[in-house]
Amino acid sequence: GSAGGAQVSRVVVLTGDPIGPRMAGPAIRSWNMASLLAEEHEVTLVTTTRLDEVAAPFALRRIKAGDEKEFRDLESWADVIVFQGHGMDQFETLRRSQKILVADIYDPMHLEMLEQGREQPRATWELMVREATQSLNRQLARADFLLCASERQRMFYLGQLAALGRLNPDTYATDPHLRELLAVAPFGIEELPPAKVGSALRGVIDGFDDDSKVLLWGGGVYSWFDPQTLIRAVASVASRRPNVRLFFLGTRHPGIDEMGVVRESMDLAEELGVLGSSVFFNDDWVEYSKRQSFFVEADAGVSTHHDHVETTFSFRTRILDYLWAGLPMVVTEGDSFAELVERESLGVVVPADDVDALADALDRVLFDEDFVAEVRANVSRVAEEFTWSRTLAPLVEFVRDPHHAADFGSHATRGVMSLSDTPKTGLRRDIARAWHHLRHSGFRVVLGKLRRRWGGQ
């Protein structure tokens, strides 16, 4: 039905993440976009990777990257296409589309690749960063509306948009703050607080009981994080507080290989003699609907990272889960969430790589009862600002009155689109990448990548 006479649109939401009972951040965000938009419009949520059986209040489809025929049908049906990640690289139809395009750039993937590619051979690292940069430039050059995750990110992207010629008389004339081009739409949380659906830790995993003080690391372990300093701090606290437990909830992302950092973290915990006594790693990815039990049983949430440019502009989605579950938190300074934790007193902010400061902070959020009570009250108040219906309001508003950007089709956007080299898609891309990896990493790496690629990821 239409709300207040607004028009009903046909909306496609596109993600590269697996959709199903187990979902990671990008899929969860796309799912919530589709849910909110489906209240007023006809919506189809599409994944280019895997689609598992799951009930949804909108249509679900899987279209393989590069399947232009399938995607062309969908594109011609749609009025508005909302996409994230590599959607534009995967479908030429999307790059050439004249429909209204919304790019969800909450994840600055070129900055992420600076960190993530570090462990790769140099040429591979350069390729990863270059491809991610070109991919974002294409989106920024063409999108009619863009969504980022924080005011900090917005400043960063305004710079990139300016360099691409999108800050021009057309876009500026009637919108001097450029909010109609680039809006802040943070990652969100569900309206209802988490409920316990069965036991997750206490009484289930050896070493967890009612007296345990549980610190939860609520997501995956990736190279830009710093689990090592955390493990050292926990070992230090546990030496005088034997009931402290740290649990890493996700060591594998549904769509990504385990990173070296996971191995290193486990080795460190073993070396310090705390693996399986104070420090625990979940060896699987928890189903989205079941993960709330872990949050309900935790006493505090924790997120530690190294300090670099990726940190400055990142938006740590796991912190939202801590907000959702009303948990006091300990976080490393440097990102926009640390500012929020500091400003609203939601826990303790610590310097990067400081074991002693971190140990003191952990002790405080687990054992200082007055502090914990005060923090929990603050957390539940701030959580209300981050429900999905609030964070995605700019998207909902835009789709009620969808329109092309003021500079759509002008020389500015056309010039940029030709600048950012057309990506190779489908087989051409596979062959080019295989040749690259063969030259730089050897045959076995290529074989592994191909196997994953054609074995449905």
Side-chain angles (χ1 to χ4, degrees), residues 29-88:
R29 186 169 164 92
S30 302
W31 181 277
N32 282 285
M33 287 179 164
S35 297
L36 279 170
L37 293 172
E39 291 174 14
E40 300 174 25
H41 309 281
E42 287 179 56
V43 178
T44 301
L45 175 59
V46 180
T47 172
T48 55
T49 45
R50 238 184 54 222
L51 176 59
D52 297 324
E53 188 94 1
V54 60
F58 40 77
L60 283 164
R61 275 183 78 174
R62 173 177 179 242
I63 300 181
K64 279 173 105 158
D67 186 339
E68 299 293 343
K69 190 182 169 304
E70 288 260 317
F71 194 78
R72 206 172 298 127
D73 292 345
L74 196 65
E75 188 269 351
S76 61
W77 170 84
D79 301 311
V80 181
I81 301 173
V82 184
F83 66 94
Q84 59 181 196
H86 293 281
M88 257 189 173

Side-chain angles (χ1 to χ4, degrees), residues 22 62 270 340:
R22 291 164 192 238
R62 173 177 179 242
E270 190 158 12
L340 182 74

Side-chain angles (χ1 to χ4, degrees), residues 191-414:
E191 314 277 333
L192 296 171
K196 196 166 165 174
V197 282
S199 295
L201 294 167
R202 299 173 195 265
V204 177
I205 295 174
D206 260 1
F208 286 84
D209 58 27
D210 291 345
D211 297 329
S212 302
K213 288 289 193 181
V214 179
L215 291 164
L216 187 65
W217 176 283
V221 180
Y222 309 120
S223 53
W224 48 88
F225 288 119
D226 177 17
Q228 285 92 342
T229 302
L230 176 60
I231 291 165
R232 291 181 195 282
V234 168
S236 153
V237 176
S239 65
R240 53 181 194 277
R241 306 244 196 212
N243 61 337
V244 167
R245 304 282 179 269
L246 166 64
F247 188 77
F248 286 94
L249 186 59
T251 49
R252 283 215 298 275
H253 174 292
I256 297 183
D257 301 333
E258 190 175 288
M259 289 193 187
V261 64
V262 176
R263 210 32 311 131
E264 289 160 22
S265 303
M266 290 177 172
D267 292 347
L268 176 64
E270 190 158 12
E271 188 187 310
L272 295 174
V274 290
L275 186 63
S277 56
S278 308
V279 175
F280 298 78
F281 293 85
N282 185 21
D283 52 12
D284 200 3
W285 189 266
V286 178
E287 280 195 29
Y288 187 53
S289 59
K290 291 189 183 151
R291 72 192 221 298
Q292 45 194 19
S293 296
F294 291 90
F295 289 90
V296 173
E297 289 186 33
D299 293 290
V302 63
S303 180
T304 49
H305 50 248
H306 298 295
D307 199 13
H308 41 61
V309 73
E310 191 272 338
T311 302
T312 310
F313 296 106
S314 72
F315 191 82
R316 305 271 177 241
T317 51
R318 70 203 51 212
I319 310 268
L320 285 167
D321 281 328
Y322 305 155
L323 272 181
W324 180 52
L327 295 176
M329 53 200 94
V330 175
V331 300
T332 312
E333 67 186 13
D335 61 11
S336 56
F337 256 126
E339 285 182 350
L340 182 74
V341 171
E342 187 87 68
R343 189 171 68 241
E344 304 286 355
S345 182
L346 309 178
V348 187
V349 177
V350 294
D353 311 311
D354 187 332
V355 176
D356 295 339
L358 185 52
D360 290 345
L362 297 176
D363 200 286
R364 191 163 185 211
V365 296
L366 291 177
F367 298 98
D368 181 341
E369 288 173 11
D370 293 345
F371 177 68
V372 169
E374 177 193 324
V375 163
R376 277 185 178 270
N378 294 336
V379 170
S380 64
R381 172 178 49 80
V382 172
E384 289 171 15
E385 297 167 28
F386 283 93
T387 55
W388 283 112
S389 55
R390 286 218 191 166
T391 62
L392 295 178
L395 173 65
V396 172
E397 280 298 303
F398 178 82
V399 179
R400 279 181 188 152
D401 172 27
H403 52 275
H404 281 301
D407 61 349
F408 174 70
S410 75
H411 60 270
T413 49
R414 276 204 307 274

